[in-house]
Amino acid sequence: MAYVRKDVGALTRAERRRFVNALLEVKRRGEYEEFVRTHIEHFSPDGESGLRTAHMAPSFLPWHRRFLLDLEGALRRVDSSVTVPYWDWTRDRTAGSAPWTADLLGGDGRRPDQRVTTGPFAHREGNWTIKVGVTDEAYLTRDLGRSHDPIELPTRSELEWALKDPVYDAAPWDSTVGRGFRNKLEGWGTGRGSVSWRNHNRVHRWVGGTMLGAASVNDPVFWLHHAFIDLQWYRWQRRHRGARYLPAAPPGAGDGQHDRIVARHQRLPPWDVTPDELEDVGRIYRYA
Ligand code: CU1
Ligand code: CU1
């Protein structure tokens, strides 16, 4: 039986407590750092050489889908009733709404050091010390809405702009491509500054602090954000019946993206799985 991922705003008090407790236990066991490490290791941007898997590439969606399944597996080994909830940022749009409550992820960081001081992941609670990161800070930081230069979360119509594109991805398959569902959702746009961050990227920017870098996994909202992104892939598939992950075959030897991206039937590191095998996970979980 497939399990169900729920809207974080719809969780009962008991469900919220069990989700938080499972996260803290995965952290206590020392398993959480492995997820942070994996994300940092696969953070290669398209300005560098080599294979891109997690970002700025067609496999952005299957990579994070498999990554979430691994974390969810770790949570469910602690408590088999737990699944990763999703944060619908088109609806819960303020620093006072879910998931920023004291019984879930805690709230905004304080001024001036952006340190999170409320909720179960506040450093002073003693359960969430950052051990693997790209900075030396041992505490979680946030700057919800980017206080010094405010930005808004993406809107429903911006998300719709991505969902209505019937093509999964297109050449050159990187952060510069202006068409295709994948980059419109991942959110590398043209121009400078905040106008260039769309959908997925804009949400990382809106949360700020720890969520800005390669170690963004250290903020548990990472999983709730990516569960909502994953849900969009499912919705896109339902809307565009028959549309598939692209490219279907690897770019040829003369192509600038040769050996730099993962095609539909190629192995998606660090796992022994292909995008093709991750397109339909309806037997594992579904969304409520
Ligand atoms: Cu990522
Ligand atoms: Cu992300």
Side-chain angles (χ1 to χ4, degrees):
M1 259 285 280
Y3 57 78
V4 178
R5 290 183 180 170
K6 298 173 184 167
D7 187 321
V8 70
L11 296 187
T12 65
R13 271 164 71 168
E15 286 169 337
R16 281 178 268 176
R17 190 180 63 241
R18 296 181 84 138
F19 172 64
V20 167
N21 287 345
L23 271 171
L24 295 178
E25 177 60 17
V26 167
K27 178 82 168 173
R28 197 194 62 78
R29 293 178 178 183
E31 295 173 19
Y32 201 86
E33 275 64 41
E34 209 41 60
F35 292 98
V36 184
R37 246 178 242 117
T38 297
H39 194 259
I40 293 173
E41 274 167 23
H42 292 82
F43 206 75
S44 35
D46 51 21
E48 291 173 11
S49 59
L51 182 70
R52 300 186 311 282
T53 54
H55 310 103
M56 298 182 172
S59 52
F60 166 70
L61 286 162
W63 195 96
H64 287 86
R65 172 167 284 182
R66 179 53 204 259
F67 193 48
L68 256 73
L69 279 169
D70 284 359
L71 181 273
E72 200 163 46
L75 296 175
R76 288 168 66 79
R77 284 193 293 278
V78 173
D79 181 343
S80 62
S81 78
V82 170
T83 63
V84 176
Y86 60 89
W87 169 31
D88 181 348
W89 30 256
T90 67
R91 228 191 37 219
D92 291 322
R93 302 181 57 77
T94 69
S97 57
W100 311 113
T101 53
D103 63 350
L104 269 167
L105 304 188
D108 199 1
R110 70 179 182 193
R111 304 294 160 259
D113 65 357
Q114 304 185 348
R115 183 194 296 237
V116 172
T117 58
T118 56
F121 304 95
H123 188 253
R124 65 175 170 208
E125 296 294 316
N127 300 315
W128 204 260
T129 296
I130 293 175
K131 295 170 184 149
V132 175
V134 289
T135 63
D136 292 334
E137 283 157 7
Y139 52 86
L140 183 61
T141 58
R142 292 181 188 138
D143 181 17
L144 303 184
R146 204 168 64 155
S147 53
H148 68 280
D149 183 12
I151 55 172
E152 297 286 326
L153 285 164
T155 60
R156 195 175 293 276
S157 64
E158 182 168 321
L159 189 54
E160 174 59 24
W161 164 77
L163 280 165
K164 72 184 179 202
D165 195 315
V167 176
Y168 177 83
D169 204 349
W173 318 106
D174 59 9
S175 69
T176 68
V177 58
R179 62 196 194 94
F181 167 64
R182 188 273 308 170
N183 196 35
K184 287 180 177 175
L185 183 63
E186 187 178 3
W188 304 103
T190 52
R192 290 172 65 90
S194 61
V195 292
S196 68
W197 308 315
R198 298 186 177 276
N199 288 314
H200 156 266
N201 280 345
R202 177 170 284 257
V203 174
H204 278 272
R205 296 280 167 172
W206 186 88
V207 177
T210 302
M211 271 286 272
L212 293 180
S216 50
V217 174
N218 278 314
D219 190 332
V221 79
F222 175 92
W223 308 105
L224 281 65
H225 173 34
H226 273 277
F228 190 59
I229 292 296
D230 188 71
L231 169 57
Q232 305 316 312
W233 189 15
Y234 173 79
R235 286 180 175 163
W236 178 85
Q237 288 173 319
R238 303 261 299 204
R239 191 185 296 197
H240 308 283
R241 293 279 181 189
R244 300 285 312 271
Y245 178 96
L246 294 173
D255 191 302
Q257 294 299 317
H258 180 69
D259 284 345
R260 300 214 51 204
I261 58 166
V262 175
R264 188 186 298 160
H265 299 285
Q266 288 184 301
R267 182 178 165 260
L268 176 59
W271 303 283
D272 190 17
V273 69
T274 66
D276 172 66
E277 292 163 338
L278 287 164
E279 279 188 294
D280 180 4
V281 284
R283 274 179 311 190
I284 306 174
Y285 65 85
R286 63 185 179 83
Y287 287 98

